[in-house]
């Protein structure tokens, strides 16, 4: 069991986590969701023991429980080979170092035998005895040739790096897996392998993810880190059940708040009326004194006392009603990707196009994209999707055939790596240079995307992947396009932003080219055509 009780953590004086608790045991499948920057990755680091909470405790039972954190960002070290990277990410390298140290210590200190036995047991439990052989077979399984094991991680392509991260998960033998955005950059085959692996693992899995299809398949409980409280609210079920139950809880909270407001208004008005009646009775008695009959005087006194008693009763009822906070509504991204002036009928075309890169060839390709076409581009990593886009947009020389881009085409592009726009050292400077907007308009637009004064002065590299994605989307909204080209647009966005993006794409009237492995997006956004790229070949599957 891994138990976290009342975890609290702050950074720079700002609360990140407040009284978050969770418990996972063998077979547990817990998804952690919430807006970008809310503290999901911080929670995983606390569970892994890499960060110490300011409040609360993390308990492991037994103490030898192995907990492995696999982060979303590539964390290769300079000169680190793929094999060394896999050893480090799976914990085998550290366990092997401990075993070597204690083996050497045995010669001088026979009492170290107990520590040595524990280290050996841990090394074997993590799969260290046959690690290199398993690494070769796992790399083959995910599409990495074994000769890549000796290659530095920094020399791998983007697709190969994604497969390397997947291989680290498949090789690991932790009791508790902590996975931070494990689906990022994976193709359909990789997603399927990951989901099958997690379905077969006996240990516990805690995963941060914005992939709704993955959360529907891979988890049975959802922990939401709430934006306004930074506390955790747990829901039973996978993603779809979570959405339904959260909506029901919010609806019930809204209804309860409205009922509380109505009752508070009613009691407040009743107190006002009762006080007014009492005061009016006293004034009338003072202006028109009645006769001095004792019975009449006693009647008036009793009536005044009864009215005062009614006021006190109503005041006690109002006090018992207490206070209630208005249900949190939160910040929402409002994305409007309206197309500018219409382009010509032909947007881009390839006729018998061939691109060669060493031994690898794309094509020949015959493909035409016309005004207002909505095209989804799918295929495995390394299959040629990015090469196809570059050739189609005229950014890559052809070895054979012909390509052309139509007149009046204004392309807005979101590349997979979220590269920094040219023209400025800070986010604000780069945004102004790339969009032509003024400084104040740029600040205002970025703020609508959650990029405020504390973000605009940062260098591009100082932004998180989600912040870089939102900045590029903001630039697309301002610059004006009639042809959107988006490469894995949902990567690094949180779920509310993804839903806004999907709505904006559904409403976009221009030409749309989207490379994606997001299965939910493919079902949500209406596409006219699907172009599949695999092994350097391009074809259009029958969508019917």
């Amino acid at each position: 069991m891994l138990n976290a009780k009342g975890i609290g953590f702050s950074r720079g004086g700002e609360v990140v986590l407040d009284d978050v608790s969770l418990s996972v045991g063998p077979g547990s499948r817990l998804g952690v969701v919430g807006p970008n920057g809310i503290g999901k990755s911080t929670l995983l680091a606390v569970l892994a023991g890499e960060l110490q909470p300011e409040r609360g405790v993390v308990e492991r039972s037994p103490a030898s429980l192995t907990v492995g954190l696999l982060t979303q960002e590539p964390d290769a070290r300079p000169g680190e080979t793929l094999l060394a990277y896999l050893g480090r990410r799976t914990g085998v390298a550290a366990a092997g170092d401990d075993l070597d140290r204690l083996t050497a210590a045995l010669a001088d200190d026979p009492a170290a035998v107990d520590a040595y036995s524990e280290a050996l047991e841990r090394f074997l439990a993590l799969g260290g005895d046959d690690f290199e052989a398993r690494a070769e077979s796992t790399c083959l399984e995910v599409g990495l040739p074994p000769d890549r094991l000796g290659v530095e991680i920094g020399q791998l392509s983007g697709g190969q790096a994604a497969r390397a991260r997947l291989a680290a998960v498949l090789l690991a033998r932790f009791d508790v897996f902590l996975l931070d955005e494990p689906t990022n950059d994976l193709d359909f085959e990789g997603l399927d392998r990951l989901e099958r692996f997690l379905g077969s693992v006996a240990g516990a899995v805690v995963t941060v993810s914005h992939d709704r299809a993955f959360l529907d398949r891979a988890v049975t409980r959802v922990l939401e880190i709430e934006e306004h409280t930074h506390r955790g609210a747990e829901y039973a079920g996978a993603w779809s059940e979570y959405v339904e139950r959260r909506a029901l809880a919010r609806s019930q909270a809204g209804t309860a708040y409205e009922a509380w407001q109505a009752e508070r208004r009613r009691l407040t008005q009743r107190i006002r009326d009762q006080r007014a009646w009492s005061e009016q009775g006293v004034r009338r008695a003072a202006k028109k004194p009645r006769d001095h009959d004792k019975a009449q005087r006693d009647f008036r006194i009793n009536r005044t006392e009864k009215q005062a008693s009614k006021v006190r009763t109503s005041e006690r009822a109002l006090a018992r009603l207490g206070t209630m906070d208005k249900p949190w509504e939160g910040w929402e991204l409002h994305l409007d990707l309206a197309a500018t002036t219409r382009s010509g009928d032909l947007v881009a075309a390839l006729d018998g196009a061939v691109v060669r890169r060493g031994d690898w060839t794309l094509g020949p390709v015959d493909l035409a994209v016309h005004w207002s076409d909505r095209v989804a581009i799918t295929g495995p990593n390394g299959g040629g999707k990015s090469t196809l886009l570059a050739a189609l947009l005229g950014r890559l020389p052809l070895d054979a055939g012909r390509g052309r881009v139509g007149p009046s085409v204004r392309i807005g592009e979101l590349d997979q790596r979220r590269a920094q726009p040219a023209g400025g050292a800070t986010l604000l400077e780069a945004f102004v240079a790339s969009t032509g907007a003024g400084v104040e308009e740029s600040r205002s637009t970025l703020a609508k995307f959650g990029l405020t004064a504390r973000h605009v002065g940062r260098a591009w590299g100082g932004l998180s992947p989600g912040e870089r994605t939102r900045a590029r989307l903001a630039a697309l909204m301002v610059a004006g396009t009639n042809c959107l080209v988006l490469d894995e647009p949902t990567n690094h966005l949180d779920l509310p932003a993804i839903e806004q993006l999907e709505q904006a794409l559904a409403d976009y009237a221009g030409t749309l080219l989207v490379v994606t492995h997001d299965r939910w997006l493919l079902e949500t956004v209406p596409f006219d055509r699907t172009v599949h790229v695999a092994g350097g070949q391009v074809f259009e599957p029958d969508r019917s």
Side-chain angles (χ1 to χ4, degrees):
M1 295 292 293
L2 180 70
N3 295 310
K5 300 177 180 178
I7 298 301
F9 190 87
S10 301
R11 183 178 290 112
E14 294 185 4
V15 175
V16 178
L17 300 171
D18 184 19
D19 195 24
V20 176
S21 300
L22 62 88
S23 179
V24 293
S28 292
R29 298 292 184 268
L30 178 67
V32 181
V33 301
N36 281 340
I38 197 64
K40 303 184 296 296
S41 297
T42 299
L43 176 61
L44 292 191
V46 168
L47 295 177
E50 295 186 1
L51 288 177
Q52 292 302 311
E54 296 168 0
R55 298 174 301 282
V57 294
V58 177
E59 299 173 340
R60 299 184 183 190
S61 179
S64 60
L65 191 80
T66 57
V67 180
L69 172 60
L70 296 161
T71 60
Q72 62 169 310
E73 285 288 277
D75 63 345
R77 296 170 180 174
E80 188 174 47
T81 65
L82 174 56
L83 182 62
Y85 167 82
L86 294 174
R88 179 170 57 83
R89 291 291 292 261
T90 57
V92 168
D97 290 343
D98 285 345
L99 185 61
D100 291 342
R101 177 176 56 80
L102 289 166
T103 300
L106 277 177
D108 301 322
D109 182 12
V113 66
D114 289 340
Y116 167 81
S117 297
E118 290 178 4
L120 176 60
E121 185 176 341
R122 183 169 185 269
F123 179 74
L124 295 175
L126 290 171
D129 54 331
D130 61 347
F131 179 74
E132 190 164 347
R134 288 192 301 112
E136 289 184 4
S137 62
T138 301
C139 284
L140 274 174
E141 182 184 348
V142 300
L144 282 170
D147 63 7
R148 299 282 89 186
L149 287 170
V151 174
E152 290 187 20
I153 287 288
Q155 296 178 6
L156 299 180
S157 68
Q160 289 176 334
R163 292 191 186 106
R165 291 194 293 275
L166 174 60
V169 177
L170 301 183
L171 277 167
R173 291 184 175 176
F174 301 121
D175 295 319
V176 180
F177 287 79
L178 305 176
L179 308 180
D180 198 351
E181 295 290 0
T183 65
N184 274 355
D185 302 319
L186 291 183
D187 54 24
F188 294 139
E189 184 179 357
L191 291 168
D192 182 60
R193 289 186 189 279
L194 175 64
E195 289 167 358
R196 283 191 281 111
F197 172 76
L198 296 182
S200 66
V201 167
V205 176
V206 180
T207 180
V208 170
S209 182
H210 296 134
D211 186 323
R212 294 154 295 178
F214 171 72
L215 289 171
D216 245 1
R217 292 169 167 86
V219 308
T220 56
R221 295 153 52 204
V222 174
L223 178 73
E224 178 186 10
I225 307 299
E226 296 177 331
E227 183 178 3
H228 56 303
T229 65
H230 294 269
R231 295 184 176 183
E234 189 169 312
Y235 299 82
W239 169 256
S240 296
E241 289 84 1
Y242 155 72
V243 171
E244 292 175 2
R245 288 175 174 148
R246 182 187 59 175
L248 177 61
R250 290 183 176 180
S251 174
Q252 291 172 337
T255 300
Y257 182 73
E258 290 172 2
W260 175 84
Q261 280 187 312
E263 181 64 6
R264 187 174 185 277
R265 285 194 297 266
R266 186 185 71 81
L267 288 173
T268 301
Q269 188 59 50
R270 188 169 78 178
I271 291 169
R272 289 197 190 105
D273 292 343
Q274 289 170 338
R275 283 175 176 166
W277 295 336
S278 178
E279 290 169 0
Q280 288 170 7
V282 171
R283 284 196 298 270
R284 281 198 299 268
K287 288 181 180 179
K288 296 182 178 180
R290 306 271 178 113
D291 57 47
H292 297 287
D293 182 83
K294 184 176 182 299
Q296 289 291 330
R297 187 171 62 252
D298 289 345
F299 172 75
R300 289 195 299 274
I301 290 172
N302 289 337
R303 187 172 63 182
T304 300
E305 288 177 350
K306 286 180 181 178
Q307 196 64 51
S309 176
K310 289 180 180 179
V311 172
R312 289 194 295 273
T313 299
S314 297
E315 287 174 339
R316 285 195 295 271
L318 183 61
R320 286 195 300 271
L321 187 63
T323 61
M324 180 177 286
D325 292 332
K326 185 178 180 181
W328 176 256
E329 295 178 354
W331 171 82
E332 287 186 2
L333 170 66
H334 295 284
L335 179 60
D336 180 11
L337 296 172
T340 57
T341 55
R342 187 189 192 283
S343 72
D345 183 60
L346 179 69
V347 174
L350 293 173
D351 301 316
V354 175
V355 177
R356 295 187 180 92
R357 289 182 170 176
D359 296 334
W360 184 85
T361 300
L362 172 72
V365 179
D366 293 297
L367 178 66
V369 178
H370 297 91
W371 164 250
S372 77
D373 275 355
R374 305 172 64 82
V375 184
I377 302 175
T378 63
N381 288 333
K385 299 187 299 296
S386 297
T387 302
L388 173 65
L389 275 182
L392 188 62
L393 301 178
R395 296 174 182 168
L396 193 65
L398 304 179
D399 292 282
R402 186 166 69 101
R404 59 193 186 281
V405 176
S408 306
V409 175
R410 297 187 61 183
I411 295 171
E413 188 171 4
L414 179 69
D415 65 291
Q416 187 173 349
R417 294 186 179 275
R418 313 303 192 244
Q420 179 176 2
T426 67
L427 168 59
L428 181 60
E429 292 168 348
F431 191 87
V432 169
S434 63
T435 63
V439 171
E440 290 308 312
E441 181 187 357
S442 296
R443 284 183 177 274
S444 176
T445 301
L446 289 168
K448 292 176 183 177
F449 284 75
L451 301 168
T452 58
R454 65 189 182 95
H455 298 95
V456 296
R458 291 185 195 169
W460 188 260
L463 300 173
S464 71
E467 289 164 348
R468 293 197 294 266
T469 301
R470 280 185 275 137
R472 295 300 297 268
L473 288 174
L476 290 179
M477 191 173 80
V478 170
T481 67
N482 54 31
C483 177
L484 279 178
V485 180
L486 310 179
D487 197 346
E488 298 292 356
T490 60
N491 273 5
H492 310 297
L493 286 179
D494 56 28
L495 291 164
I498 290 173
E499 290 169 353
Q500 282 290 314
L501 173 64
E502 288 172 344
Q503 185 59 55
L505 295 182
D507 295 339
Y508 185 68
T511 306
L512 187 62
L513 297 170
V514 179
V515 175
T516 186
H517 295 122
D518 189 321
R519 295 158 292 184
W520 203 286
L521 180 141
L522 286 169
E523 294 177 2
T524 302
V525 176
F527 289 102
D528 304 321
R529 304 158 57 191
T530 296
V531 173
H532 192 76
V533 188
Q537 299 300 310
V538 178
F539 60 95
E540 297 192 35
D542 184 0
R543 289 181 62 86
S544 62

